[in-house]
């Protein structure tokens, strides 16, 4: 056992508590930093994917033609035979390739939101695309180490930035512009870096760290104060115990020496020895406790059974010393116990009482003393009694009280109510927390089950009643969640758990349980589910939800041999809408068109926003013919519902039906190809698997 100097007894527990708090703080700070970094990386990744999708669209289209202007001059680094055509009406045009379009969009995005997007390469054609030191290191890692992305939170003098960069790989369509640089398909030709102002982000993270520090410091200080108070009391008791132990050891040594001298005197009287022996047999054979006899006037013990040595640790001879019993009573019991015994003895009354006794090794033992007064000529002569060790019982009673107090504090802190129900009588007993949970006061509650059911919503009552009946019938534990109407207007969700306590003898069976208000948890769960599966702008399901649902529906279709179709549609000329009326009008077109399609498809179909102006309709149990009809119906609905100020918005639709060799990726790829075929056919078309 580790021993410290007496005055440093507090170091070990207080140090352990400090280490525990510091460990908790370190873990939570590390977790917060990791989460913040992941969030920053995801923001950059999302912007990069948006730009990459825009570039892919431009590249697949072979570049786009726009009107030449001061803001859009010809690209001197783009070498194409027909780079700058002129329309038949004399309007000068210029070809915008993916890199040029990325730079143009980057300027607009930086002007509107402060987010800087930079397309760069280790071998740039345009000097404006030269990489900065951070981008250079990232590009080298992409080419040499095969990294897929890099992100950091940096402060480069103008405030904190979330910096993200991912590589751009050479595709077949990229070789039109980059073939002269000897690139091959799959090579890393450069990358796009995204720099997002992160002042607010860093401030929130710093605030969270400060809150963690303050919370841990407060908890540490409170527990340390309580621990210090307890240890101070412990130190006082320990000092007192050491002093008392030293005194007892001296007395034991004195009594032991005297006992050795008196042994000869006891052996000298054979008659007295027989009387003692007989008394021992008469008393000890009747009990496992300490049998004793004492002079009623002096309280000096004339006999003590050997049980005293094993129970209390003192030799029997020590008990014969005058005042031995009083001296070894607990200081708090010494005065009243001796006075009570003397008072009962003077009245010749048998009595029993409980007190604490200090053993030879310093322990405190609870004894129950059962005393009989032996009188002679109307006066007390002897006291005979039995001391029984009741320490375990008293400790159990004390532990029950402590457990009850801790349970009460825990239920109050956790807002948990405890209840008890007697099925035979319908009687219900609540603790104080239950009144607060149900919004009732004791005057409104008449301790009957009908008072409880009146507060439960009718839709939840049958289920709750069935579970309770099942618990009474089978004895299984009861656990469920139900709703109540609190104060007549407020719906609250209550989590209930209970156990059946069978009746014993005349006692009826009871159900004892706890209730806890979980309304806030339910609301949080519903909001998290909505945010995780819904596109904020259109109210449709998002891409992640559709991908998970598509995998499940493919498995279900194969398992049951059912048809499964997928529609991918893209709003035609959507960029023209944004360029002409602004992104606000574009957002309105997306939201209104999604609402029109949602009202057009069947309830069994699922509409999801795939990205930008692309949407998906997942149609279980739908053949290719029915899916094509559904696509045409979607197109017609869009034509019939113009959206101001853009007017009528059409869509190009690709329709695919699940084949035996398909998985989710191939099904999506075919839908995407058919949608682009519909655009190439003049837009506002439906192309499907069996289209010519």
């Amino acid at each position: 056992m580790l021993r410290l100097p007496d005055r440093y007894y507090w170091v070990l527990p207080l140090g352990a508590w400090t280490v525990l708090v510091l460990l908790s703080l370190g873990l939570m700070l590390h977790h917060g930093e990791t989460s913040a970094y992941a969030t920053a990386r995801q923001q950059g990744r999302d912007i990069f994917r948006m730009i990459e999708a825009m570039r892919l669209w431009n590249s697949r289209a072979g570049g786009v033609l726009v009107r030449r202007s001061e803001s859009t001059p010809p690209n001197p680094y783009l070498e194409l035979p027909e780079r700058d055509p002129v329309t038949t009406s004399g309007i000068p045009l210029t070809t915008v390739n993916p890199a040029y379009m990325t730079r143009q969009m980057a300027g607009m995005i930086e002007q509107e939101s402060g987010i800087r997007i930079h397309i760069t390469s280790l071998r740039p054609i345009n000097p404006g695309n030269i990489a900065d030191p951070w981008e250079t290191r990232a590009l080298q890692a992409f080419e040499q180490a095969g990294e897929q992305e890099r992100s950091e939170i940096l402060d480069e003098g103008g405030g904190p930035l979330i910096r993200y960069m991912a590589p751009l790989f050479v595709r077949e369509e990229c070789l039109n512009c980059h073939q002269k640089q000897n690139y091959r398909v799959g090579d890393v030709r450069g990358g796009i870096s995204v720099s997002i102002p992160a002042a607010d982000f860093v401030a929130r993270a710093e605030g969270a760290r400060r809150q963690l520090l303050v919370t841990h410091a407060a908890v540490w200080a409170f527990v340390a104060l309580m621990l210090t108070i307890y240890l101070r009391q412990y130190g006082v008791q320990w000092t007192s115990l050491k002093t008392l132990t030293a005194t007892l050891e001296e007395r034991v040594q004195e009594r032991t020496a005297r006992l050795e001298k008196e042994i000869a005197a006891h052996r000298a009287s054979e008659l007295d020895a027989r009387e003692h022996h007989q008394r021992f047999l008469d008393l000890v054979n009747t009990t496992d406790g300490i049998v004793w006899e004492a002079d009623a006037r002096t309280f000096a013990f004339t006999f003590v059974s050997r049980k005293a040595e094993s129970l209390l640790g003192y030799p029997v001879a020590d008990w014969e010393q005058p005042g031995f019993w009083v001296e070894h009573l607990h200081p708090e019991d010494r005065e009243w116990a001796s006075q009570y015994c003397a008072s009962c003895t003077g009245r010749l009354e048998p009595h029993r009482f409980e007190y604490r006794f200090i053993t030879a090794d310093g322990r405190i033992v609870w004894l129950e003393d059962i005393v009989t007064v032996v009188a002679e000529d109307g006066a007390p002569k002897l006291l005979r009694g039995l001391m029984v060790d009741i320490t375990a019982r008293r400790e159990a009673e004390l532990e029950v009280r402590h457990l009850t107090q801790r349970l009460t504090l825990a239920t109050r802190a956790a807002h948990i109510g405890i209840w008890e129900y007697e099925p035979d009588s319908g009687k219900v007993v609540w603790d104080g927390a239950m009144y607060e949970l149900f919004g009732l006061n004791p005057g409104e509650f008449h301790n009957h089950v009908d008072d409880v059911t009146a507060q439960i919503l009718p839709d939840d009552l049958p289920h709750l009643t069935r579970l309770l009946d099942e618990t009474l019938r089978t004895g299984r534990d009861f656990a469920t969640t139900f709703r109540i109407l609190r104060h007549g207007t407020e719906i609250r969700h209550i989590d209930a758990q209970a156990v059946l306590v069978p009746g014993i003898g005349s006692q009826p069976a009871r159900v004892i349980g706890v209730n806890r208000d979980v309304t806030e948890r339910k609301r949080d769960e519903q909001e998290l589910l909505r945010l995780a599966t819904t596109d904020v702008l259109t109210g449709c399901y998002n891409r992640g939800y559709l991908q998970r649902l598509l995998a499940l529906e493919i498995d279900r279709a194969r398992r049951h041999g059912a048809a499964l179709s997928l529609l991918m549609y893209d709003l035609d000329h959507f960029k023209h809408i944004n360029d002409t009326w602004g992104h606000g009008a574009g957002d309105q077109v997306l939201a209104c068109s999604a609402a029109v399609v949602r009202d057009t498809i069947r309830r069994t179909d699922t509409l999801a926003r795939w990205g930008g102006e692309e949407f998906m309709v997942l149609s279980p149990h739908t053949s290719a013919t029915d899916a094509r009809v559904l696509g045409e119906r979607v197109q017609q609905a869009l034509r019939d519902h113009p959206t101001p100020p853009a007017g009528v918005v059409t869509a190009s639709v690709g329709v695919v039906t699940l084949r035996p060799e398909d998985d989710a990726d191939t099904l999506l790829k075919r839908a995407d190809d058919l949608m682009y075929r519909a655009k190439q056919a003049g837009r506002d078309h439906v192309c499907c698997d069996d289209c010519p």
Side-chain angles (χ1 to χ4, degrees):
M1 178 178 178
L2 179 63
R3 291 194 174 275
L4 295 172
D6 289 348
R7 56 183 173 177
Y8 297 125
Y9 63 91
W10 52 271
V11 170
L12 191 60
L14 197 58
W17 168 241
T18 302
V19 170
L20 181 62
V21 170
L22 290 176
L23 180 61
S24 172
L25 176 61
L27 289 175
M28 295 188 73
L29 285 174
H30 175 72
H31 175 72
E33 231 175 81
T34 303
S35 300
Y37 182 76
T39 302
R41 182 172 60 247
Q42 187 60 43
Q43 288 183 355
R45 184 185 295 129
D46 292 341
I47 294 174
F48 172 82
R49 289 177 176 173
M50 178 187 71
I51 297 299
E52 189 178 36
M54 177 191 71
R55 290 171 53 81
L56 178 61
W57 171 80
N58 185 300
S59 178
R60 288 182 176 176
V64 295
L65 295 174
V66 301
R67 184 191 295 269
R68 276 182 280 170
S69 64
E70 292 183 1
S71 60
T72 314
N75 184 358
Y77 305 102
L78 179 63
E79 298 178 1
L80 290 177
E82 298 180 357
R83 186 191 68 183
D84 303 314
V86 179
T87 66
T88 57
S89 59
I91 298 174
L93 304 178
T94 186
T95 302
V96 175
N97 66 337
Y100 192 13
M101 185 169 66
T102 301
R103 289 193 297 275
Q104 293 289 90
M105 292 299 295
M108 295 179 64
I109 291 173
E110 183 172 8
Q111 182 180 0
E112 294 295 327
S113 64
I115 298 174
R116 185 167 66 87
I117 299 171
H118 186 214
I119 179 170
T120 183
S121 172
L122 294 177
R123 294 182 289 167
I125 298 175
N126 186 347
N129 295 340
I130 294 176
D132 63 23
W134 184 87
E135 293 170 337
T136 300
R137 291 192 298 272
L139 289 170
Q140 291 172 347
F142 297 155
E143 292 188 359
Q144 299 171 10
E147 288 189 17
Q148 297 300 310
E149 61 180 359
R150 175 168 288 197
S151 59
E152 292 184 67
I153 300 177
L154 304 173
D155 191 340
E156 299 177 343
L161 291 175
I162 298 172
R163 298 213 64 182
Y164 176 88
M165 188 170 185
L168 293 174
F169 296 98
V170 175
R171 301 174 182 267
E172 187 70 35
E173 50 267 31
C174 301
L175 296 178
N176 293 332
C177 298
H178 295 279
Q179 189 170 15
K180 65 179 183 179
Q181 293 177 284
N182 297 320
Y183 280 120
R184 293 179 297 176
V185 174
D187 289 347
V188 176
R189 73 172 185 272
I192 296 178
S193 71
V194 181
S195 301
I196 305 172
D200 292 342
F201 181 85
V202 172
R204 287 195 300 272
E206 184 63 29
R209 285 193 291 272
R210 285 197 298 270
Q211 185 177 5
L212 277 175
L213 287 170
V214 171
T215 301
H216 279 73
V219 172
W220 178 88
F222 176 76
V223 175
L225 177 61
M226 296 296 102
L227 190 60
T228 301
I229 293 173
Y230 169 77
L231 291 173
R232 184 182 296 274
Q233 295 175 347
Y234 173 80
V236 172
Q237 294 177 355
W238 175 251
T239 302
S240 175
L241 182 60
K242 288 203 303 182
T243 302
L244 182 59
T245 301
T247 303
L248 291 176
E249 289 176 352
E250 292 177 1
R251 292 180 181 272
V252 168
Q253 292 175 357
E254 294 175 0
R255 299 298 187 271
T256 302
R258 182 176 176 181
L259 180 61
E260 293 175 353
K261 296 178 182 179
E262 293 179 349
I263 291 177
H266 283 288
R267 292 176 178 173
S269 178
E270 184 179 353
L271 179 60
D272 187 60
R274 283 199 298 267
E275 289 177 354
H276 276 79
H277 180 67
Q278 187 60 47
R279 189 180 298 118
F280 175 82
L281 293 177
D282 292 341
L283 297 176
V284 174
N285 288 338
T286 61
T287 181
D288 290 332
I290 302 173
V291 179
W292 58 270
E293 183 180 80
D295 189 294
R297 294 179 297 276
T298 63
F299 289 101
F301 285 85
T302 57
F303 173 79
V304 178
S305 68
R306 292 294 177 185
K307 185 69 174 178
E309 294 185 0
S310 61
L311 181 60
L312 303 177
Y314 299 109
V316 172
D318 289 357
W319 291 77
E320 298 175 1
Q321 302 300 319
F324 175 84
W325 177 72
V326 176
E327 290 175 0
H328 292 84
L329 289 174
H330 191 279
E332 295 178 4
D333 297 340
R334 189 171 297 157
E335 183 176 353
W336 75 263
S338 58
Q339 290 178 356
Y340 175 76
C341 186
S343 176
C344 293
T345 300
R347 296 192 301 270
L348 304 179
E349 293 178 356
H351 50 282
R352 65 193 312 170
F353 58 114
E354 299 174 1
Y355 54 84
R356 287 165 291 181
F357 199 84
I358 300 174
T359 65
D361 57 4
R363 293 181 298 108
I364 298 176
V365 175
W366 277 93
L367 297 176
E368 181 180 21
D369 215 340
I370 306 170
V371 184
T372 300
V373 181
V374 179
E376 185 178 82
D377 298 330
K381 179 182 180 183
L382 296 174
L383 297 177
R384 290 175 181 161
L386 174 66
M387 297 178 186
V388 181
D389 184 0
I390 59 169
T391 304
R393 190 192 77 191
R394 292 300 295 256
E395 289 178 350
E397 292 172 352
L398 182 61
E399 181 65 19
V400 169
R401 285 198 297 271
H402 289 171
L403 287 174
T404 303
Q405 293 171 354
R406 288 197 293 270
L407 178 61
T408 302
L409 291 175
T411 56
R412 287 178 181 173
H415 302 290
I416 295 175
I418 302 176
W419 52 270
E420 187 173 320
Y421 168 54
E422 291 183 2
D424 294 342
S425 63
K427 181 181 178 181
V428 176
V429 178
W430 280 359
D431 71 347
M434 286 293 293
Y435 290 102
E436 183 178 350
L437 285 178
F438 278 74
L440 299 176
N441 58 57
E444 297 173 311
F445 185 67
H446 304 96
N447 296 101
H448 196 271
V449 68
D450 293 339
D451 299 325
V452 181
T453 56
Q455 308 298 318
I456 300 173
L457 290 186
D459 291 344
D460 294 351
L461 187 58
H463 173 69
L464 189 63
T465 303
R466 283 196 303 273
L467 285 179
L468 186 58
D469 291 342
E470 184 178 352
T471 297
L472 295 173
R473 185 177 67 257
T474 65
R476 288 201 294 266
D477 291 350
F478 173 93
T480 189
T481 301
F482 60 90
R483 296 167 295 170
I484 64 170
L485 195 61
R486 194 170 184 264
H487 299 308
T489 58
E490 182 184 5
I491 296 178
R492 308 295 293 180
H493 293 261
I494 304 297
D495 184 69
Q497 295 182 338
V499 295
L500 177 66
V501 181
I504 301 175
S506 60
Q507 293 288 332
R510 296 171 298 151
V511 178
I512 299 177
V514 295
N515 283 3
R516 183 162 57 97
D517 190 331
V518 295
T519 304
E520 297 304 322
R521 189 190 74 191
K522 288 285 187 181
R523 290 174 182 170
D524 292 343
E525 290 174 354
Q526 293 171 358
E527 180 63 14
L528 286 174
L529 179 60
R530 187 187 70 79
L531 292 175
T533 60
T534 306
D535 177 65
V536 177
L537 175 62
T538 63
C540 304
Y541 289 111
N542 58 26
R543 181 174 185 152
Y545 176 80
L546 182 71
Q547 287 176 321
R548 295 191 295 272
L549 183 62
L550 177 60
L552 292 174
E553 289 296 342
I554 289 176
D555 290 342
R556 184 180 291 113
R558 290 217 167 96
R559 187 166 57 251
H560 298 290
L564 176 66
S565 294
L566 180 68
L567 284 71
M568 175 183 282
Y569 73 87
D570 181 271
L571 299 182
D572 296 329
H573 304 294
F574 185 73
K575 183 179 182 303
H576 175 73
I577 295 173
N578 279 335
D579 293 343
T580 304
W581 291 285
H583 289 280
D587 290 346
Q588 184 178 358
V589 167
L590 290 174
C592 293
S593 64
V596 169
V597 174
R598 191 163 45 240
D599 293 339
T600 302
I601 62 177
R602 303 163 303 181
R603 287 188 301 174
T604 56
D605 299 330
T606 301
L607 174 64
R609 185 181 180 189
W610 190 247
E613 65 271 22
E614 292 183 353
F615 292 82
M616 293 279 192
V617 178
L618 181 61
S619 299
H621 303 284
T622 304
S623 64
T625 302
D626 293 340
R628 179 169 187 169
V629 172
L630 179 60
E632 293 170 349
R633 193 162 67 243
V634 167
Q635 282 187 320
Q636 188 59 45
L638 291 173
R639 298 189 199 102
D640 294 341
H641 294 81
T643 303
V648 174
V649 178
T650 61
S652 299
V653 185
V655 180
V656 293
T657 302
L658 183 67
R659 296 173 179 173
E661 68 275 11
D662 275 336
D663 57 16
D665 291 336
T666 58
L667 194 66
L668 289 169
K669 178 66 169 58
R670 289 198 294 113
D672 184 69
D673 292 343
L674 288 171
M675 182 190 72
Y676 275 100
R677 189 192 301 175
K679 283 188 173 293
Q680 293 169 357
R683 295 185 172 84
D684 195 18
H685 278 69
V686 175
C687 285
C688 54
D689 287 328
D690 57 356
C691 291

